Amino acid sequence: MAVALKEDYQRALDEQKNEVRELVMAGLEQIKEGKTKDFNTVCDRLEKKYRDEAISN
């Protein structure tokens, strides 16, 4: 039972990580399109982190 709960928790955590990553990438895309203020330095760092970072388990 505990193993199943741990697997469910890990699956939910992984899904949340993916959702956050997608939201960050969508925000970066809006910035690139000029739809928001210019945060190039911060966003470039975030883009590199979220695009290149492997999903940790």
Side-chain angles (χ1 to χ4, degrees):
M1 175 86 173
V3 173
L5 289 175
K6 185 175 180 180
E7 289 174 1
D8 287 344
Y9 174 77
Q10 188 62 46
R11 189 175 312 118
L13 186 61
D14 290 342
E15 288 174 10
Q16 288 177 345
K17 285 181 183 180
N18 286 332
E19 287 177 31
V20 169
R21 184 176 295 203
E22 288 173 14
L23 290 171
V24 169
M25 294 308 293
L28 290 171
E29 199 59 38
Q30 288 178 349
I31 291 167
K32 286 179 182 179
E33 294 171 358
K35 294 182 179 178
T36 60
K37 293 183 179 182
D38 185 21
F39 299 110
N40 286 335
T41 304
V42 174
C43 293
D44 287 345
R45 188 175 69 237
L46 283 172
E47 182 178 14
K48 182 179 184 333
K49 178 181 178 181
Y50 283 102
R51 188 166 280 164
D52 297 341
E53 181 180 294
I55 298 175
S56 60
N57 290 327

